[in-house]
Amino acid sequence: MLVLVFILSGLIGYWVITKVPSLLHTPLMSGTNAISGVTVLGALIAVAVAATTSSKSLAMVAIVLAMVNVVGGFLVTGRMLAMFKKGKSKGKE
Amino acid sequence: MPSTIFYLYLIVAVAVISGIRLLSSPEYARWGNIIAAIAMLAAIVLILAQQELLGVGSVVVALLIGSIIGAALAIQVKMIQMPQLVAFLNGCGGAASCLVSLAETANPATTANMYICGWAVIVGSFTFSGSLIAVGKLSGKVKQQPVILPHHSWLTSGIALLLILYWAFAVYLRFTSFLLYGVILLPFALALGVIFTIRIGGADMPVVICFLNALSGLAASLCGFVTQNPLLVACGAMVGASGILLSQKMCRAMNRNLANVFLGLGVTPVSGKRLEPDSLQLKKEAEMTEEDKFSFSLKILKEADEVIIAPGYGMALSQAQFKVWELAEILEARGARVRFAIHPVAGRMPGHMNVLLAEAGVPYDKLLEMDAINEDFKNTDVAVTVGACDVVNPSAIRVAGTPISGMPILKVFEAENILVCNLDERPGYSGVENPLYKEKHAILLWGDAKETLDRLIKGLSDRG
């Protein structure tokens, strides 16, 4: 089941990303980068099910790191995209 | 699988996909980013509620600390440092996935689970150490040139082999603590990440960042297998696919393949003397004084109707992008059409040059991809290269056997006149001498691009 999800989303991802123009490749990367921070969900689950203190503290550190990834990624992507402006309607011609 | 949670996951996944989909149009890209961010936030809240963690102070504090650090980094970073930041964030993601899997090794249900945990630890920590080296190289703290240790390839394959053997046969070692099993993997995987990245040269960093991006996605996906969470698997796989796709594109743009980038091949600078002297009409450099060159440049710029600017990483280094746009605006005010030709590997990560120019205020419809603009150089009055060398080097298509031969380039040499605003005549990263500088119609304005452009701007506005 999970393998199926993996293959399917890989294909969908590949297909969706082929359509992104190279103009936007940097924001695309920082955006997908933020998405790879979903691992924070794993970290949260790990904290919840942790049986030992050591694994609980590992998961806590993971939460911090993953959130740096998520928040940093989305904010910086937003910052970049805000800079992309369309030209004024062909002033000269 | 409880069905409500499944459907909620599905909604989040669809939101993330449509977020990425919107990124394909510069007009709606901002919304795409916001949708993906909201989806992520919703997923976090969902898990918090599902696992009854909302009231747990330490978890909330951990979430907040991470968010604050992330926000601080994102707000402070300069656009030229974007590759470092992305590499660093990749590293954070990888490390997080690695730690989650380590935490999970403490309670593995089955042997199969142990294998997946181990694999996730390997990929995560490799991503982490590799990314830190990449950050070091990009920010100049680690030598940009490939660092090659004695017997580098043997060392790399040796460690990799040990790692895989240990990973595969650890079941027979009868660990009393599975956590120990995971911890032993760490130093090997970390060392492998370092050794792997350290031999890759500075100009190949775009490929490396994409590759590490793919790995951080893969690590997150593996983490999903470990925690049996389909959303992690799905998002991770999408990021992985994106990273792989971008690495391929970068390689194609540099005429390299992944294997020789990773083995650090083809980046040893060769002396330009290996090239035959060009058969083109060579001009005598001494003919023109600096002042002549300068006033001639002004003349052709004033008369130009069609101008294409080809920026390279040198422009970013001298922070000349603002001056470039100032020049473009003046020329446009005089009635010329000015466009920008962006080579896919101009900059230190995919699309980097576009971001730098957008920051300077250049509207995105003036930023054209190489393939979209290359045929227009023929009909261009003036092509201006700013801090670009290898990506405009005609040797790539005229001379065989150089490190850049076969690499697609911007056909700047086809323009009527060429203004070269580079720092000096040294070859670019590839080490291949640039015959463009010897072309009859090339005017060489050596010096810091920012100052050169400033002089041109002043000249254009003074003498009206």
Side-chain angles (χ1 to χ4, degrees):
Chain A
M1 160 73 182
L2 285 179
V3 177
L4 195 71
V5 172
F6 180 80
I7 295 170
L8 209 62
S9 13
L11 289 176
I12 295 176
Y14 200 89
W15 172 74
V16 171
I17 282 143
T18 328
K19 304 205 184 287
V20 178
S22 63
L23 171 74
L24 291 172
H25 274 168
T26 297
L28 170 71
M29 275 192 79
S30 57
T32 53
N33 195 307
I35 293 168
S36 74
V38 275
T39 195
V40 71
L41 304 182
L44 289 170
I45 296 172
V47 167
V49 301
T52 61
T53 342
S54 54
S55 55
K56 191 163 189 168
S57 24
L58 284 174
M60 281 294 184
V61 180
I63 295 182
V64 176
L65 287 172
M67 279 316 275
V68 172
N69 193 178
V70 172
V71 175
F74 280 126
L75 275 184
V76 88
T77 310
R79 240 187 93 192
M80 273 190 275
L81 291 172
M83 296 184 322
F84 281 93
K85 287 178 295 266
K86 205 172 177 176
K88 293 149 251 163
S89 52
K90 303 263 150 80
K92 288 291 148 202
E93 258 117 5
Chain B
M1 172 73 43
S3 58
T4 11
I5 276 286
F6 179 78
Y7 286 116
L8 287 171
Y9 278 163
L10 198 63
I11 294 173
V12 172
V14 170
V16 168
I17 293 170
S18 30
I20 302 180
R21 184 76 185 81
L22 284 178
L23 272 177
S24 55
S25 114
E27 235 167 304
Y28 301 111
R30 293 189 74 176
W31 292 108
N33 185 46
I34 291 169
I35 289 173
I38 291 174
M40 185 72 74
L41 181 68
I44 292 172
V45 174
L46 185 69
I47 294 276
L48 281 175
Q50 187 208 5
Q51 305 286 343
E52 292 168 350
L53 287 170
L54 272 171
V56 183
S58 50
V59 171
V60 179
V61 170
L63 285 171
L64 282 179
I65 295 176
S67 311
I68 292 168
I69 299 175
L73 287 174
I75 291 165
Q76 285 173 2
V77 71
K78 295 196 190 77
M79 288 306 141
I80 191 173
Q81 299 167 326
M82 197 53 69
Q84 287 97 300
L85 180 72
V86 170
F88 177 74
L89 294 177
N90 275 336
C92 286
S97 301
C98 166
L99 292 177
V100 172
S101 318
L102 265 186
E104 289 285 320
T105 49
N107 34 329
T110 58
T111 323
N113 221 353
M114 191 175 122
Y115 279 122
I116 302 174
C117 278
W119 196 231
V121 169
I122 295 174
V123 177
S125 43
F126 180 94
T127 311
F128 177 66
S129 60
S131 298
L132 289 193
I133 295 292
V135 172
K137 287 208 170 209
L138 287 162
S139 55
K141 292 196 183 83
V142 177
K143 209 157 73 116
Q144 293 240 339
Q145 283 75 34
V147 176
I148 298 174
L149 306 171
H151 310 293
H152 204 123
S153 303
W154 288 108
L155 207 59
T156 316
S157 0
I159 296 180
L161 195 68
L162 263 178
L163 193 62
I164 289 174
L165 284 177
Y166 169 73
W167 171 75
F169 294 107
V171 204
Y172 303 107
L173 295 177
R174 299 179 190 287
F175 278 107
T176 42
S177 145
F178 283 103
L179 185 57
L180 182 66
Y181 154 73
V183 170
I184 293 178
L185 284 170
L186 272 181
F188 290 104
L190 289 172
L192 198 59
V194 172
I195 289 188
F196 175 82
T197 321
I198 206 152
R199 90 179 314 185
I200 299 169
D204 286 331
M205 279 300 142
V207 181
V208 178
I209 299 175
C210 296
F211 182 70
L212 290 170
N213 191 27
L215 280 187
S216 77
L218 184 62
S221 199
L222 287 168
C223 211
F225 281 98
V226 171
T227 53
Q228 293 289 305
N229 186 310
L231 187 59
L232 253 77
V233 173
C235 290
M238 278 188 265
V239 177
S242 145
I244 294 288
L245 185 80
L246 290 176
S247 330
Q248 280 177 348
K249 281 199 175 178
M250 288 298 106
C251 282
R252 220 170 297 145
M254 295 195 292
N255 190 37
R256 312 279 303 271
N257 60 46
L258 274 180
N260 74 32
V261 169
F262 291 157
L263 293 177
L265 299 175
V267 286
T268 12
V270 294
S271 76
K273 283 169 209 140
R274 268 178 35 182
L275 294 177
E276 295 298 308
D278 250 77
S279 52
L280 299 149
Q281 316 119 299
L282 300 184
K283 66 168 175 224
K284 287 157 219 126
E285 253 300 299
E287 269 175 13
M288 274 199 202
T289 66
E290 280 301 309
E291 238 1 84
D292 284 346
K293 280 203 268 181
F294 185 71
S295 41
F296 186 64
S297 311
L298 284 181
K299 180 172 163 282
I300 55 174
L301 279 176
K302 278 180 192 162
E303 287 165 4
D305 291 322
E306 285 284 341
V307 178
I308 298 181
I309 299 177
Y313 193 60
M315 176 199 79
L317 286 178
S318 106
Q319 286 291 299
Q321 59 267 42
F322 296 91
K323 289 289 169 199
V324 169
W325 178 226
E326 213 181 314
L327 178 72
E329 278 190 303
I330 292 177
L331 293 174
E332 290 210 316
R334 304 181 61 98
R337 180 163 77 142
V338 184
R339 292 175 299 167
F340 292 81
I342 313 289
H343 193 276
V345 288
R348 282 290 178 271
M349 72 184 288
H352 194 193
M353 198 51 70
N354 297 298
V355 172
L356 293 167
L357 288 167
E359 184 193 18
V362 182
Y364 61 77
D365 45 4
K366 291 194 180 299
L367 304 172
L368 282 100
E369 289 177 33
M370 177 170 65
D371 293 337
I373 202 166
N374 236 353
E375 293 314 310
D376 295 357
F377 277 107
K378 293 198 268 298
N379 311 316
T380 299
D381 303 311
V382 186
V384 187
T385 74
V386 185
C389 186
D390 285 339
V391 296
V392 297
N393 189 340
S395 289
I397 43 182
R398 285 184 193 153
V399 184
T402 75
I404 55 169
S405 296
M407 176 175 116
I409 57 155
L410 296 169
K411 294 182 182 164
V412 165
F413 62 89
E414 288 186 342
E416 179 90 29
N417 294 288
I418 310 164
L419 287 187
V420 180
C421 304
N422 288 1
L423 189 60
D424 50 33
E425 56 189 321
R426 275 183 310 166
Y429 188 78
S430 69
V432 179
E433 207 166 277
N434 197 339
L436 185 71
Y437 301 157
K438 294 187 184 138
E439 302 249 1
K440 205 175 176 187
H441 57 311
I443 302 153
L444 311 171
L445 303 170
W446 303 129
D448 184 73
K450 206 170 170 179
E451 284 159 25
T452 312
L453 291 167
D454 208 36
R455 282 181 67 196
L456 288 175
I457 291 166
K458 289 220 177 74
L460 282 173
S461 21
D462 283 355
R463 303 171 219 183

